[in-house]
Amino acid sequence: MNKKQMKNLFYIFIILHALFWTMLQTLRHVMSIDAMEAISWGELLSFGTNKHPPFTGWLAAPLYNIFGHHEFAIYLLGSLCVLIGFIYIYKLAKNFLSEEKAFCSVMILEACHYYTYSIFLDNFNCNIILLAFFPAAAYYFYKSIHKNKVSDWIFFGLTSGLAFLSKYQIIFLLFALFIYLLLENREQFKKKGIYIAFAVGLLTVLPHLIWVFKHDFFCLAYMFERAESKFVEFVLWKNIFDRIFYPLKFYADQILAVCGCIAMYILTAIQAKNIAFWNKNISKSDKTFILTIAFVPIIAQGFVGIISSSRVPGTWGSMMMGFIGIVLFAFLPINFKENTYKFFVKLSFFAMAGMLTAVGTFLITQKKIFISLPYEKIFTEINSQWDFETNNAPLKYVAGDLKYIFAYRYYNDKHPKVILDTFGYKSPFENHDDILKSGAIIILDEENDLDKIARDRMVLLPKDYKINPKNYTYNICNKFNSCKDYEFYYAIIPPLNQ
């Protein structure tokens, strides 16, 4: 098989990957919470959100509108992030590996659930967009330090800045690249290129940093709540169990995520009947670079859990695992024979078919709210109750549990605005006087939390206002008519003058 045939097969593979995983998502009844939340952030037209930096929203909302408010736009966007990430991983791998092994370092990711099942589950979010930006930033950095072109440094600064505007975790990759420069290439600090990249990156993120400062850094409160952080307890021996357990669980999640990749590699080595434990064709500097970008971000992310005794969700490592193929083929090289590449391609397509089958089976048998919420029936009935209690007043606001309220906005002809949780800070996104005058619907899983959430989102609600919760029960059935009941509670808070 010549190089042209190999390249064509590679592009067929990644295009099929994007196509199949995009089409599979269209079988969902409702977009993921993260995807709907990203659209809502884009509608804020702001340099910040209540949780993450705004770039995911800047992409999601316009594309969603261009596609006529169809979910397909969001499903496609997530798959495009993966496809772009694949291309940059291949371009980076070519600096260390042969053409066929560079292809294989991408195709092996078909066995990593961060590039398959997680795309189906989350559609598009700030983790998925970093699947593109992590390898892109690493590629432009490597290209910059070897060719020292101003244009490459600009692209490195721009990709790093946009990654920061997507999620702050790009800091871990930038830290890894800084460590690499200290170890192998300190001369770069004497050249202008790295400072050009810094200036470009800073200019890219500066409006967001100003916005965060202006609003008292309240968006950082989400990170501490999400991680269940105990940062206030700086004494290292306190919460010693959490400091050990959470990071170890995070590391274990990353190992489990690439077990399929390692299995594919072992099967290929068995087929080729050879494997080495060192690659003499890769320079010491390049080996340091590969190990640094592959492992320092993961170690650093877990170390945050050790320092803070806070939970480190496994998905926070998703964007950091894309270099596993480069690591395997660079440090445990297989001598590819004539049929080795063909075997690996077949194995990759088998992995693709296996993952698609597994997720398809899950889709048929599941009874999960986040995939099959019967929103039309639910929202039609609640709308009728709202119209009855408010004398057909327009429904402008909804608040409460994310899995209901975002669906209420995007799968309901009333399209009420979601009152975002600002974690105890004054919201820069809502007019509280208008909320009180217009009224709102509050939806939660727990009845006991309705009063607290209603008063938190509607801060001007009178203290003596009595909130009357209502129970709603519904069921979700799979394709075999096996059903499961769910319930939630909601409260209708009419306009103030009603």
Side-chain angles (χ1 to χ4, degrees):
M1 187 180 296
N2 59 42
K3 285 188 176 181
K4 184 177 180 180
Q5 290 174 320
M6 283 192 294
K7 184 170 287 191
N8 289 339
L9 192 57
F10 169 73
Y11 285 119
I12 289 172
F13 176 85
I14 63 173
I15 290 171
L16 286 177
H17 174 98
L19 178 63
F20 287 151
W21 286 101
T22 300
M23 297 310 297
L24 188 64
Q25 292 175 77
T26 62
L27 300 179
R28 299 172 58 115
H29 291 182
V30 62
M31 290 182 286
S32 71
I33 296 171
D34 284 356
M36 290 185 284
E37 191 170 37
I39 299 170
S40 73
W41 290 339
E43 294 171 341
L44 295 175
L45 299 177
S46 169
F47 283 110
T49 75
N50 64 322
K51 294 182 180 179
H52 295 294
F55 191 66
T56 49
W58 293 353
L59 289 181
L63 196 64
Y64 182 68
N65 290 328
I66 289 171
F67 276 74
H69 297 175
H70 199 286
E71 303 96 325
F72 181 80
I74 303 303
Y75 303 152
L76 178 63
L77 186 56
S79 294
L80 286 177
C81 289
V82 174
L83 190 147
I84 292 169
F86 281 170
I87 292 173
Y88 275 109
I89 291 169
Y90 158 69
K91 289 167 73 72
L92 181 64
K94 281 203 304 179
N95 293 291
F96 322 112
L97 306 170
S98 63
E99 191 85 8
E100 67 269 20
K101 290 181 182 178
F103 293 148
C104 292
S105 67
V106 173
M107 290 189 286
I108 202 171
L109 295 173
E110 195 65 36
C112 176
H113 71 80
Y114 290 143
Y115 290 84
T116 52
Y117 174 67
S118 292
I119 304 301
F120 168 80
L121 202 63
D122 297 325
N123 307 155
F124 176 72
N125 62 17
C126 51
N127 293 324
I128 291 172
I129 196 172
L130 287 190
L131 296 179
F133 279 130
F134 246 67
Y139 167 76
Y140 284 119
F141 176 83
Y142 184 88
K143 190 178 178 184
S144 297
I145 61 175
H146 284 84
K147 296 189 176 181
N148 207 31
K149 290 184 178 180
V150 172
S151 59
D152 292 332
W153 283 113
I154 290 174
F155 276 116
F156 169 61
L158 184 61
T159 52
S160 299
L162 292 177
F164 187 88
L165 284 178
S166 302
K167 195 176 185 183
Y168 300 131
Q169 276 179 290
I170 191 64
I171 290 174
F172 293 118
L173 177 62
L174 298 179
F175 173 69
L177 298 176
F178 177 74
I179 295 296
Y180 167 76
L181 290 179
L182 291 179
L183 294 174
E184 295 288 344
N185 205 332
R186 295 184 185 182
E187 288 297 315
Q188 293 297 331
F189 293 114
K190 301 177 182 179
K191 300 177 182 179
K192 65 181 181 180
I194 195 168
Y195 302 104
I196 292 174
F198 177 79
V200 171
L202 182 60
L203 287 173
T204 304
V205 305
L206 188 59
H208 171 65
L209 295 179
I210 293 172
W211 185 93
V212 170
F213 180 79
K214 180 181 178 181
H215 295 288
D216 300 323
F217 302 90
F218 87 83
C219 58
L220 299 182
Y222 164 74
M223 294 187 349
F224 298 127
E225 179 172 294
R226 179 79 168 86
E228 300 171 4
S229 177
K230 305 177 184 66
F231 254 116
V232 293
E233 302 185 28
F234 286 104
V235 182
L236 191 58
W237 56 82
K238 287 190 176 183
N239 305 304
I240 189 67
F241 176 79
D242 292 347
R243 295 181 194 276
I244 296 173
F245 175 75
Y246 289 137
L248 287 180
K249 184 178 182 302
F250 171 76
Y251 295 138
D253 287 341
Q254 308 321 308
I255 293 171
L256 289 173
V258 297
C259 278
C261 304
I262 296 171
M264 285 181 64
Y265 188 84
I266 292 172
L267 290 173
T268 305
I270 293 172
Q271 192 277 339
K273 297 181 180 178
N274 74 87
I275 187 171
F277 292 94
W278 196 247
N279 193 335
K280 298 179 180 179
N281 297 322
I282 301 178
S283 68
K284 175 180 174 294
S285 177
D286 282 351
K287 287 176 180 175
T288 302
F289 178 80
I290 295 169
L291 290 176
T292 303
I293 64 171
F295 295 110
V296 169
I298 300 169
I299 294 170
Q301 178 70 83
F303 190 72
V304 170
I306 296 175
I307 296 298
S308 65
S309 73
S310 59
R311 192 166 62 92
V312 188
T315 53
W316 288 5
S318 58
M319 69 295 296
M320 304 174 186
M321 302 309 296
F323 305 121
I324 183 64
I326 298 177
V327 171
L328 291 172
F329 285 104
F331 288 91
L332 299 172
I334 297 172
N335 183 20
F336 272 36
K337 298 179 181 179
E338 183 177 350
N339 294 325
T340 304
Y341 180 71
K342 292 181 180 178
F343 172 83
F344 192 88
V345 170
K346 292 177 182 177
L347 193 61
S348 300
F349 276 106
F350 178 78
M352 180 188 292
M355 289 297 291
L356 287 167
T357 301
V359 175
T361 302
F362 165 78
L363 186 62
I364 293 172
T365 59
Q366 64 79 38
K367 295 168 283 186
K368 302 291 185 181
I369 298 175
F370 59 83
I371 292 176
S372 299
L373 181 71
Y375 51 85
E376 291 182 355
K377 179 178 183 294
I378 294 173
F379 300 151
T380 298
E381 294 183 17
I382 297 179
N383 284 347
S384 297
Q385 189 66 29
W386 167 270
D387 291 339
F388 174 75
E389 294 191 21
T390 66
N391 195 25
N392 295 308
L395 175 58
K396 293 181 63 175
Y397 296 101
V398 63
D401 196 306
L402 298 184
K403 64 176 170 284
Y404 299 115
I405 61 176
F406 282 117
Y408 211 124
R409 172 161 178 76
Y410 296 109
Y411 294 96
N412 179 11
D413 55 6
K414 290 183 181 291
H415 300 297
K417 182 180 179 181
V418 171
I419 307 174
L420 297 173
D421 184 2
T422 50
F423 311 100
Y425 288 78
K426 181 180 178 181
S427 174
F429 311 117
E430 276 87 38
N431 181 326
H432 292 293
D433 287 318
D434 187 62
I435 292 174
L436 197 63
K437 291 177 183 178
S438 303
I441 292 177
I442 315 295
I443 308 176
L444 287 174
D445 281 326
E446 299 294 332
E447 180 181 6
N448 295 337
D449 293 334
L450 265 173
D451 188 83
K452 176 181 180 301
I453 296 300
R455 297 183 187 282
D456 180 64
R457 304 297 188 273
M458 305 180 70
V459 295
L460 300 180
L461 197 66
K463 292 182 179 181
D464 59 351
Y465 185 90
K466 183 175 176 56
I467 295 172
N468 298 310
K470 299 176 176 61
N471 173 268
Y472 190 100
T473 302
Y474 64 98
N475 60 31
I476 294 178
C477 303
N478 62 20
K479 301 298 183 181
F480 305 107
N481 291 321
S482 174
C483 301
K484 181 177 180 180
D485 287 337
Y486 293 90
E487 69 174 5
F488 63 82
Y489 295 85
Y490 71 98
I492 291 176
I493 302 178
L496 184 63
N497 60 358
Q498 295 256 1

